[in-house]
Amino acid sequence: MHLSADDWSAIRLTLELASIVTVLLLIIGTPIAWWLARSRSRLRGVVGAIVSLPIVLPPTVLGFYLLVLMGPEGAVGRFTEALGLGRLPFTFPGLVVASILYSLPFVVQPVQNAFMAMGERPLEVAATLRASPLRTFFTVALPLARPGFITAAILGFAHTVGEFGVVLMIGGNIPDKTRVISMQIYNHVEAMEYAQAHGLAALLLGFSFLVLLALYTVGGARNTLGAGR
């Protein structure tokens, strides 16, 4: 299997994007998952629905609205322009933001399920030992929810690697900047370079199988995937 310099560039960019997005998703998604698992607020259902929207929303729809928001007339676009950051569409940072929103439910839901599965007992025991809520979270909740975090990291990484619609709308097809593997496969097919497309597609196929194998190995994949569909 021969891979061109452009193919390797797309692979490198995809891995870089997925790694950054996964780390940021775990940081952003953990407090959201904790709140959804513990809160009794009337807004819980609304927030949960908003977080889960990318699961059922066509990627092009999400990408379109993000493009509007990040554009020169959008609220986000005007804000980034005022900060001197320029416009996010068709840039790598814009691709990171879009990927975070698109993959958010695939990280939040496994972590939320893990927090809910541990029950009240461990937290009550920590409270009787006079542990602060913050200390209880870091020393009790996080270790007990470790399988959920592993599943979330795997799903978040894999989902970012495989995205196409959002990438097309927000990132475009700029070599060495926003052209990821899915876009490179599309380019090969458009150019009728089926051998090259097959090489990259086979890599993604093998990667997808390894992701599912890892999920079923660490356990809880059926519940996690079932909750995300």
Side-chain angles (χ1 to χ4, degrees):
M1 178 176 60
H2 175 71
L3 297 177
S4 66
D6 286 340
D7 293 338
W8 284 113
S9 175
I11 292 172
R12 177 195 59 78
L13 190 65
T14 302
L15 295 177
E16 181 181 350
L17 175 66
S19 299
I20 293 173
V21 168
T22 300
V23 172
L24 292 177
L25 276 173
L26 289 173
I27 295 173
I28 297 170
T30 298
I32 297 175
W34 178 254
W35 185 84
L36 288 172
R38 306 291 302 169
S39 176
R40 302 185 185 279
S41 171
R42 294 180 179 179
L43 295 177
R44 182 174 176 271
V46 176
V47 175
I50 293 174
V51 169
S52 301
L53 263 181
I55 295 176
V56 297
L57 197 65
T60 49
V61 174
L62 177 62
F64 169 73
Y65 283 113
L66 287 176
L67 195 60
V68 171
L69 284 172
M70 295 177 181
E73 302 301 324
V76 176
R78 290 195 297 267
F79 180 70
T80 56
E81 287 277 8
L83 293 178
L85 301 176
R87 300 171 186 171
L88 291 177
F90 311 112
T91 66
F92 185 79
L95 205 54
V96 170
V97 173
S99 299
I100 288 174
L101 294 175
Y102 186 50
S103 297
L104 185 61
F106 293 88
V107 170
V108 170
Q109 288 188 1
V111 177
Q112 178 186 349
N113 292 339
F115 282 147
M116 295 175 67
M118 70 185 182
E120 298 287 339
R121 181 67 175 171
L123 304 180
E124 292 173 352
V125 171
T128 60
L129 297 175
R130 298 183 179 179
S132 67
L134 191 62
R135 183 175 182 182
T136 299
F137 177 76
F138 282 103
T139 61
V140 178
L142 289 186
L144 289 177
R146 182 182 176 186
F149 280 96
I150 295 174
T151 301
I154 294 173
L155 281 177
F157 188 92
H159 196 249
T160 304
V161 167
E163 61 188 38
F164 177 77
V166 170
V167 169
L168 179 63
M169 297 293 289
I170 298 298
N173 195 6
I174 305 173
D176 299 322
K177 291 186 178 180
T178 62
R179 181 183 292 172
V180 294
I181 293 178
S182 57
M183 288 303 307
Q184 184 67 359
I185 293 174
Y186 178 80
N187 290 337
H188 283 316
V189 173
E190 282 282 286
M192 292 188 292
E193 298 169 348
Y194 298 123
Q196 292 90 331
H198 170 68
L200 287 177
L203 282 177
L204 283 185
L205 179 62
F207 173 76
S208 300
F209 173 77
L210 291 176
V211 167
L212 291 175
L213 182 63
L215 285 174
Y216 280 95
T217 299
V218 300
R222 289 185 179 88
N223 292 336
T224 300
L225 294 177
R229 295 294 178 186

